[in-house]
Amino acid sequence: MWSLETLGRVRLSRHFYMRDFLYSEIGNFHQIQNIPDDPERAIEMGQRLCQELLDPLEETFGRIAIRSGYRAAGLNRFGNEQGLNCARNAANAGQHIWDYPGGAGACTSLVIPWFADRYEAGRDWRDLAWWLHDHLPYSDIYFFPKLCAFNLSWAERPERAIRSYIAPRGTLLASGAEPGESRAERQARYDDFPPFRAIAYP
């Protein structure tokens, strides 16, 4: 049987442990536990998220900040019913609810401080969006105005879609569509970014 202490110590990748994704402000304030119903499934999906998406970000840009990670189904349901910016459980299957039955993916909300400083100074969020598109095997990305935070998802069947609440709001890249900018145009947006670095996992 999993204990919460044991679960928190599970290493998902070089840079991340399960504990990094279990804190919930909603759960903390309302005293609702944020513990997976299926820890092994949550760990499996979390490993894919961290190894394929988050580790390359941390290797490339330095420390990234996790704003919201895993959500237990009961906690997410409460957040949705109380209007606390949580989507319905069915919509969050394979997103913030990493172990939802039938879900095959994982999502986290994060900030890249390196880019947040540049965004605050007027940098276009699409520069980062296209960098993510050209370098990572993401499923979907959703940008938010504060700190240029974004939801980043990994999935067994990726959608490859990018949307934003930052102007210009809406869909930057629809699932199955080709980018509206050429690769050369996209690369020109981020030619001053640090060199891409990733970890080769067995």
Side-chain angles (χ1 to χ4, degrees):
M1 178 178 292
W2 290 94
S3 70
L4 185 58
E5 183 179 37
T6 299
L7 177 65
R9 289 176 176 170
V10 172
R11 193 171 189 174
L12 302 177
S13 67
R14 176 181 292 181
H15 293 292
F16 297 95
Y17 292 81
M18 191 68 187
R19 186 187 305 275
D20 297 321
F21 301 92
L22 294 178
Y23 177 77
S24 166
E25 291 170 347
I26 295 173
N28 186 43
F29 185 81
H30 294 281
Q31 300 182 2
I32 301 172
Q33 292 185 337
N34 190 35
I35 302 173
D37 295 313
D38 186 345
E40 292 183 357
R41 180 65 168 169
I43 289 168
E44 178 187 1
M45 295 297 99
Q47 287 174 332
R48 301 300 296 271
L49 172 70
C50 292
Q51 293 177 15
E52 298 190 28
L53 301 182
L54 302 188
D55 273 2
L57 289 179
E58 186 125 346
E59 287 284 316
T60 300
F61 296 104
R63 184 63 176 165
I64 64 174
I66 303 301
R67 298 179 69 244
S68 177
Y70 170 82
R71 289 188 206 140
L75 176 62
N76 189 82
R77 183 181 302 107
F78 175 86
N80 175 256
E81 292 172 349
Q82 299 300 315
L84 300 175
N85 295 321
C86 297
R88 294 175 298 103
N89 280 15
N92 250 329
Q95 295 285 326
H96 282 290
I97 309 176
W98 299 0
D99 57 338
Y100 196 85
C107 171
T108 189
S109 299
L110 65 103
V111 171
I112 301 175
W114 182 91
F115 189 81
D117 292 341
R118 288 153 179 81
Y119 170 75
E120 182 68 21
R123 189 82 185 242
D124 193 325
W125 65 271
R126 291 171 293 184
D127 298 352
L128 177 59
W130 288 128
W131 184 95
L132 295 168
H133 175 78
D134 289 339
H135 292 86
L136 299 181
Y138 70 93
S139 177
D140 53 272
I141 305 170
Y142 220 126
F143 282 89
F144 303 95
K146 292 182 180 179
L147 303 174
C148 199
F150 57 98
N151 283 359
L152 180 64
S153 301
W154 177 89
E156 290 182 352
R157 296 181 180 179
E159 294 184 17
R160 301 289 287 179
I162 303 174
R163 304 173 182 89
S164 179
Y165 284 112
I166 310 172
R169 292 167 57 101
T171 300
L172 178 66
L173 182 67
S175 180
E178 290 296 320
E181 299 182 18
S182 70
R183 187 169 186 86
E185 289 173 319
R186 302 195 305 270
Q187 289 176 333
R189 284 181 171 273
Y190 55 75
D191 63 359
D192 61 334
F193 279 31
F196 176 71
R197 298 180 62 189
I199 300 169
Y201 284 96

